[in-house]
Every structure is written in C-alpha cells, then in structure tokens.
C-alpha cells in the first residue's frame, strides 16, 4: 500500500518556470522567423524587379481613326520617341489593323501589336530598333536609331495589292 500509483506531481514552482521558459522559446522562435523573413524580402523584391525589367513593357498610344483622333495624337506626338504612321494605296489612305513588331538590337521584342495604326507612338529608350509592319499580306521593315534627344517618324506605305495574295489565289483556283 505504500507504493505510489504514478509519478509525483511537479511542484508548482517548477511548472511555472517550465511555462515561462516555453513561452520565451516560442517568442524567440517567432522573433527569429520575423527577422529572417525581413532579411529575405529585399532579395525577393530585387528578383521581381529584374523579372519586370526583362518583360520590356513599352508604353504606347495607338489610334488616329477620324480627324479628331488624328489631331489629338498630333498634339502629343512630341512626347513620344518613336512615331509610326501607316498608309496604303495611291491616295495615301491611313491604314489600321497593321501587325506590328518592334525589336531591340538583340532581337528581343519591345512592342508587339496585332492591330496597330493608323498612328502608333511608342516610348522606348535610346537605342537601335527594327520595326516590322504587316498589312494586307505585305511586310515591310525599317531600322531605327533613337538618340534620346528628338523623336523619329517612321512611315510605312503599302501601294497596290499584295503579290503573295495574288499568287496564292491563282494556285488555289
């Protein structure tokens, strides 16, 4: 009968000390985790900035259909380093729906539109670019150098009907 049924309960002082030590360890672990995440945040932010830089997003303005739009775009033209104007046929009629690709000197796309024109303005940094425009099955390209001091006007004009379309319709019939 003198044997104890289980372990003796801990003295109250020892239990309180264990709880306090446990709380301190938990708070310490939380503090370390917070500090570690704060240290890694700038590295993550820097990586994201690099990715954004690689995206090469380019601000552009596209329009010029109708007299009011043409006048509005001409008023802001001086603010855009690269100004592209598309026309077609003998009467120099403005051309919309142009497939446009602007690449830098390494060939990386800087602006790509499936329906550009008749006036398209782009904000690009100084450098050398290749502008390729396709309308009615005909493609034209221009090499352009932007010096950062004054803007460049680049004109594309397609006269007549595309030879490719005439050849493909003749072989299809």
């Amino acid at each position: 009968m003198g044997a104890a049924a289980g372990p003796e309960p801990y003295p109250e002082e020892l239990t309180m000390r264990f709880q306090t030590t446990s709380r301190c360890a938990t708070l310490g672990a939380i503090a370390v985790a917070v500090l570690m995440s704060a240290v890694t945040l700038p590295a993550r932010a820097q990586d994201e900035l690099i990715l954004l830089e690689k995206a090469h997003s380019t601000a552009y303005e596209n329009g010029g259909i109708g007299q009011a739009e043409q006048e509005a775009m001409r008023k802001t033209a001086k603010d855009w380093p690269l100004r592209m104007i598309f026309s077609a046929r003998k009467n120099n009629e403005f051309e919309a729906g142009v497939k446009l690709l602007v690449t830098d000197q390494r060939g990386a796309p800087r602006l790509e539109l499936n329906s550009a024109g008749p006036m398209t303005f782009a904000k690009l940094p100084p450098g050398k670019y290749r502008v390729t425009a396709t309308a009615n099955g005909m493609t034209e390209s221009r090499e352009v150098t932007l010096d950062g001091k004054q803007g460049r006007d680049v004109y594309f004009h397609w006269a007549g009907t595309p030879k490719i379309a005439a050849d493909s319709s003749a072989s299809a019939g």
Side-chain angles (χ1 to χ4, degrees):
M1 298 230 142
E8 276 191 37
Y10 290 111
E12 188 175 319
E13 181 181 311
L14 184 58
T15 302
M16 290 183 71
R17 191 176 311 145
F18 176 75
Q19 289 174 347
T20 304
T21 304
S22 177
R23 277 190 204 132
C24 287
T26 302
L27 291 174
I30 290 171
V32 167
V34 167
L35 288 174
M36 291 296 286
S37 67
V39 168
T40 58
L41 279 178
R44 281 192 199 134
Q46 185 177 10
D47 289 346
E48 289 172 8
L49 289 175
I50 291 170
L51 290 175
L52 288 174
E53 184 180 339
K54 289 181 182 177
H56 298 294
S57 60
T58 300
Y60 69 94
E61 184 175 21
N62 189 54
I65 297 175
Q67 194 64 33
E69 275 189 31
Q70 291 170 24
E71 288 175 17
M73 289 188 72
R74 285 187 177 114
K75 286 180 183 177
T76 64
K78 67 183 180 319
D79 300 327
W80 298 90
L82 179 58
R83 300 175 296 267
M84 297 159 284
I85 300 171
F86 310 104
S87 63
R89 293 171 281 292
K90 292 179 184 178
N91 60 357
N92 292 325
E93 198 176 302
F94 271 169
E95 185 75 20
V98 175
K99 184 174 181 177
L100 176 68
L101 175 64
V102 180
T103 56
D104 62 19
Q105 62 187 12
R106 295 174 303 177
R110 298 302 301 251
L111 178 63
E112 187 170 10
L113 300 173
N114 287 323
S115 187
M119 302 167 77
T120 304
F121 302 162
K123 285 196 191 266
L124 291 165
K128 293 182 179 187
Y129 299 93
R130 180 176 191 85
V131 181
T132 304
T134 303
N136 302 315
M138 295 181 288
T139 300
E140 292 189 14
S141 292
R142 309 276 190 278
E143 300 294 326
V144 179
T145 300
L146 301 177
D147 63 9
K149 296 175 186 167
Q150 63 183 36
R152 287 284 313 268
D153 294 310
V154 181
Y155 298 95
F156 289 87
H157 178 77
W158 294 273
T161 57
K163 291 179 183 175
I164 296 172
D167 292 342
S168 63
S169 64
S171 63

